[in-house]
Amino acid sequence: MGYRYIGSKDKLSDIIISEIHRINNNTETVIDLMAGTGLLSLALRENNFKVVANDVMTYSYHHLHLHLLLSKAPDFNKISSIVKNQNLDNKKSNYTLILDYLNNVKPIKGYFFNEFSPEGNPINATKPRKYYTAENAAKIDAIRKEIKSLKKRNLITDIEHSLLLHDLIMASNDIANIAGTYGHYLSKFVKRAESPMLLYQSKFSNLGQTEGHQVFKGYAEEIAPKLVGDICYIDPPYIKRQYAANYHILETLAREDEPEAIGESGLRPWRDQYSNFCSKVKIRDSFDKIITSINCQDFLISYSEDGLIPISDLILFLSNYGTVSKKNIEYKRFKSNNSKKESTLNEYLIHLKKD
Ligand SMILES: C[S@@+](CC[C@H](N)C(=O)[O-])C[C@H]1O[C@@H](n2cnc3c(N)ncnc32)[C@H](O)[C@@H]1O
């Protein structure tokens, strides 16, 4: 199913790519500085660009490994030490075998069961939470434990580890009892959330540029001085809602930890991934750090009419660094199930050519 991610540019990739060609037809390397789902990075790679991608969130780092660094399933060449001989089916790929193996591990009543299921006993809440059914939460606990142990015992490589965590994130997201983000869970289980959780195979793309991509994880403001590219695409958060808070459970899956789950929603402590782009006061300073320190002359910036700062103010501010132009795109609004807002909004693609 994939997941609904606030601000995902999956559906805008054609327009963004044609803007990149328009700005500089000789572009070789594109920096995707806040890459989120990594789906735009994938489209860039498939369109023959070299991609340097980054995000502050750990789940994004795992998605980017699949989308940029893999063009076929990894070997999983220690499979015979993982799967018992009698279950080794020669006709199946090692990747299929490991997913079958993980799908069949015995459920455990662990952290996810206790903190995020109705049969749990959360440490910091007055009543159990309902992000997952008890069966699915216990399955997630068991699969997390097994992936962590495979890595610790060196039975999987770093990229195999990233792929399995990506697969776990996608499968857990499919059966999460939420309206769109993990800001809160739904009071009644929806049908989708009651289906059994199942890891399924990721698709691998071998289109376009398969070599030479780079993946980073960290604050754009800090990573920018290390990056070199022909065009830097920046897709910052444009509202106050922090990604780290809205996708806290995906981050916990990606980090393989068991943080304190706070309050009714069970948020992990997320201040270490706080984004300045969600603050009217700090956003300009962050743009300044990026634009002045990165080794790149052209910037393409996505912003929205719903943005924290009005588009005219943003353009005025960016004009301090060079020549600015803007393209309008009418776009379908991200709507959580109970939102009554208009269903279209204006997205902007701002081009800054640095002096
Ligand atoms: C609008 S989303 C990007 C969506 C992405 N283009 C896609 O198609 O999935 C904004 C992203 O910026 C990331 N982010 C926010 N502040 C950041 C920062 N200071 N440095 C790096 N990433 C940041 C968030 O984690 C989030 O994934």
Side-chain angles (χ1 to χ4, degrees), residues 5 8-9 34-37 55-57 218-221 235 237 243 275:
Y5 195 61
S8 162
K9 294 300 175 296
M34 303 187 188
T37 58
D55 199 282
V56 72
M57 301 305 296
Y219 278 118
E221 299 89 320
D235 187 16
Y243 282 78
S275 173

Side-chain angles (χ1 to χ4, degrees), residues 1-19:
M1 181 183 95
Y3 66 88
R4 293 162 68 199
Y5 195 61
I6 302 174
S8 162
K9 294 300 175 296
D10 194 21
K11 295 201 175 78
L12 292 187
S13 56
D14 286 350
I15 301 178
I16 294 167
I17 288 168
S18 77
E19 274 299 285

Side-chain angles (χ1 to χ4, degrees), residues 94-111:
N94 288 352
Y95 180 37
T96 310
L97 287 170
I98 194 144
L99 291 185
D100 288 354
Y101 168 76
L102 290 172
N103 275 325
N104 286 300
V105 290
K106 201 163 165 265
I108 295 172
K109 293 183 178 175
Y111 174 81

Side-chain angles (χ1 to χ4, degrees), residues 9 16 233-236 300-304 347-350:
K9 294 300 175 296
I16 294 167
Y233 173 66
I234 310 182
D235 187 16
L300 194 57
I301 300 165
S302 279
Y303 214 63
S304 157
E347 277 267 338
Y348 304 106
L349 269 178
I350 305 168

Side-chain angles (χ1 to χ4, degrees), residues 168-203:
L168 176 61
I169 290 167
M170 299 313 280
S172 306
N173 191 69
D174 283 357
I175 44 89
N177 191 36
I178 55 170
T181 75
Y182 293 80
H184 58 88
Y185 54 83
L186 299 170
S187 54
K188 272 176 114 179
F189 274 102
V190 289
K191 204 157 179 258
R192 179 176 47 79
E194 286 177 331
S195 330
M197 197 208 65
L198 204 60
L199 300 175
Y200 51 90
Q201 300 213 16
S202 287
K203 291 203 180 93

Side-chain angles (χ1 to χ4, degrees), residues 62 112 132 140 144 165 168-169 172-173 248-257 268:
H62 297 308
F112 266 64
Y132 297 101
I140 293 172
R144 296 181 88 204
L165 290 175
L168 176 61
I169 290 167
S172 306
N173 191 69
H248 60 105
I249 290 191
L250 304 186
E251 185 62 15
T252 296
L253 291 169
R255 286 213 220 172
E256 300 184 285
D257 57 0
R268 59 179 295 129

